[in-house]
Amino acid sequence: MHAQSTFDFIDEFGILKNNWAIVSQDDCQGIINKQGELVLPVKFDYIEEFGFYSRNLAVISYNNKVGFINRKGEIVLSPVFDYIEEFGCYSRNLALVSINGKKGLINRKGEIVTPTIFDEIEEFGMARRGWALVKSNGKYGFIDKQVKIQLALNYEYIDEFGIVAHHLAVVKKEGKYAMINRRGKEIGN
């Protein structure tokens, strides 16, 4: 890619990456290398440094939506998300993403591991070790760290395990309360 000849601002080389500098023109940002070639076109709202979210990913924003670039300057996660949580908040290797209020998860490579289909995703381990409580269309269930459904989203309510009895949680389904064990099996059925 060839660079334009002038910019409103050229940041210091090496802040983002050794031979790259963020450039600005008309309130948009891009990246050039030391040869003056565009690594990333000057069209982004902002570009963050590598390492804030992940060592090998930097956040980019375009039309107030965020995504990631890698250290080659390639867009690895298109800027379509309203926000991206930091890695480690939900699980060490996963980050929460959101589009129009619907949530999903991405991995450290910037790959979508679950689409943005949930209304809520709680942190892994809050209700049960290795599982996260999820909600979609008013129903709750659990996913595991491999983002597989471990308890179908059939419940109107799921309490934390251990509140009423060790290793059990109270659930509400079709207006009736029951209990489930840590494997997600209803007790007494």
Side-chain angles (χ1 to χ4, degrees):
M1 230 184 267
H2 293 288
Q4 63 192 59
S5 58
T6 61
F7 302 97
D8 294 337
F9 180 77
I10 300 175
D11 204 355
E12 184 179 330
F13 280 91
I15 291 176
L16 187 65
K17 185 181 167 186
N18 239 1
N19 62 342
W20 289 0
I22 295 177
V23 293
S24 299
Q25 182 70 39
D26 300 325
D27 294 323
C28 291
Q29 292 186 338
I31 300 172
I32 61 170
N33 61 24
K34 285 189 176 179
Q35 290 74 40
E37 299 167 328
L38 281 172
V39 173
L40 202 60
V42 183
K43 67 176 189 178
F44 296 94
D45 305 325
Y46 62 86
I47 301 166
E48 291 187 2
E49 294 178 28
F50 288 97
F52 183 74
Y53 283 84
S54 177
R55 186 173 46 127
N56 293 313
L57 300 174
V59 171
I60 53 172
S61 174
Y62 181 72
N63 289 332
N64 296 315
K65 302 289 184 177
V66 292
F68 285 130
I69 61 169
N70 63 19
R71 290 189 173 273
K72 296 176 184 176
E74 301 165 332
I75 296 174
V76 294
L77 187 65
S78 294
V80 297
F81 299 98
D82 297 325
Y83 68 87
I84 300 173
E85 294 275 335
E86 292 179 42
F87 288 96
C89 291
Y90 285 79
S91 174
R92 196 175 106 182
N93 293 311
L94 299 174
L96 183 83
V97 293
S98 178
I99 298 176
N100 298 325
K102 295 290 187 179
K103 296 167 179 59
L105 296 165
I106 61 170
N107 64 23
R108 288 190 179 272
K109 295 176 184 174
E111 300 166 333
I112 297 170
V113 294
T114 187
T116 51
I117 58 171
F118 296 108
D119 300 320
E120 295 176 25
I121 301 176
E122 288 192 7
E123 294 175 30
F124 284 89
M126 293 291 290
R128 181 198 180 277
R129 181 181 295 198
W131 287 7
L133 184 68
V134 293
K135 178 183 179 185
S136 183
N137 298 318
K139 301 289 183 173
Y140 291 90
F142 284 107
I143 59 173
D144 64 18
K145 288 187 178 184
Q146 287 71 45
V147 199
K148 293 181 182 143
I149 301 285
Q150 292 299 318
L151 182 64
L153 282 78
N154 294 329
Y155 296 93
E156 300 151 27
Y157 170 80
I158 300 176
D159 201 358
E160 290 182 43
F161 285 92
I163 300 293
V164 295
H166 193 61
H167 299 295
L168 298 175
V170 173
V171 296
K172 183 179 180 184
K173 183 178 178 182
E174 298 174 1
K176 303 285 184 187
Y177 289 91
M179 290 187 294
I180 60 171
N181 63 24
R182 289 192 177 269
R183 291 184 300 274
K185 303 291 182 203
E186 288 187 26
I187 303 301
N189 285 343

